[in-house]
Amino acid sequence: MSISERLKKFVEFKGISLKELSEKCDIPYRTLQNYIYEENRKISPELFIKLNTHFGINLNWLLTGMGEMFESETKPAPRTKAIVEMIENLDDSQKQKIYAVIEDAKQFQEMKKQISQLNQLMSERKTA
């Protein structure tokens, strides 16, 4: 697959028109058309940079076809993603309650850590 084909695949995947892409990347529409529809057309480095900056496209994928289409981000675990989606669907008061529970849990964890440290110090003093 050529760079032009991968560029076309990217546009289709994003579901944007060439006009939208040309406006977003500040590249003339006609130039963008030429990049996509002319197989051997050399693509300006400026477009690569703009695609990476505005869309997070993986330049290694665009140039070589290797790797994923987009730069890898730390992806949340499926369970974490499901929890976030559930929380996003709650109203503000429910979100505040969940936030309070999470804050309480964090404080509890910190207190457990401090108690453990105190117990360790006390046992060290007993043996000294």
Side-chain angles (χ1 to χ4, degrees):
M1 185 183 295
S2 69
I3 295 173
S4 295
E5 290 170 323
R6 283 188 290 278
L7 188 55
K8 185 176 182 180
K9 186 175 181 178
F10 162 76
V11 170
E12 290 170 359
F13 178 83
K14 290 299 283 181
I16 59 175
S17 68
L18 290 184
K19 182 173 175 26
E20 290 172 298
L21 184 62
S22 72
E23 290 171 359
K24 184 81 171 178
C25 291
D26 195 29
I27 300 286
Y29 174 77
R30 192 70 160 146
T31 302
L32 197 54
Q33 275 186 317
N34 292 337
Y35 288 156
I36 289 178
Y37 297 113
E38 291 180 20
E39 283 296 314
N40 296 320
R41 175 80 179 233
K42 289 190 178 189
I43 298 175
S44 77
E46 177 187 16
L47 178 61
F48 293 138
I49 292 166
K50 289 181 178 185
L51 287 170
N52 179 262
T53 302
H54 294 295
F55 296 98
I57 196 167
N58 178 350
L59 295 180
N60 188 46
W61 173 81
L62 186 58
L63 294 169
T64 68
M66 297 179 69
E68 299 296 320
M69 185 183 294
F70 296 98
E71 289 182 335
S72 63
E73 299 175 6
T74 304
K75 296 179 182 174
R79 187 172 183 187
T80 302
K81 187 176 178 182
I83 290 169
V84 169
E85 288 173 3
M86 283 189 276
I87 291 172
E88 286 175 344
N89 291 322
L90 299 174
D91 64 39
D92 286 341
S93 68
Q94 292 169 319
K95 288 178 185 176
Q96 287 174 347
K97 289 175 185 175
I98 289 174
Y99 181 79
V101 169
I102 292 170
E103 284 298 315
D104 288 346
K106 283 172 45 179
Q107 287 178 352
F108 181 72
Q109 286 296 98
E110 184 60 32
M111 288 170 53
K112 279 177 56 176
K113 182 180 171 184
Q114 289 173 354
I115 290 169
S116 177
Q117 290 171 343
L118 286 171
N119 284 336
Q120 185 177 356
L121 281 172
M122 288 174 56
S123 70
E124 289 173 3
R125 289 192 183 228
K126 286 181 184 177
T127 59

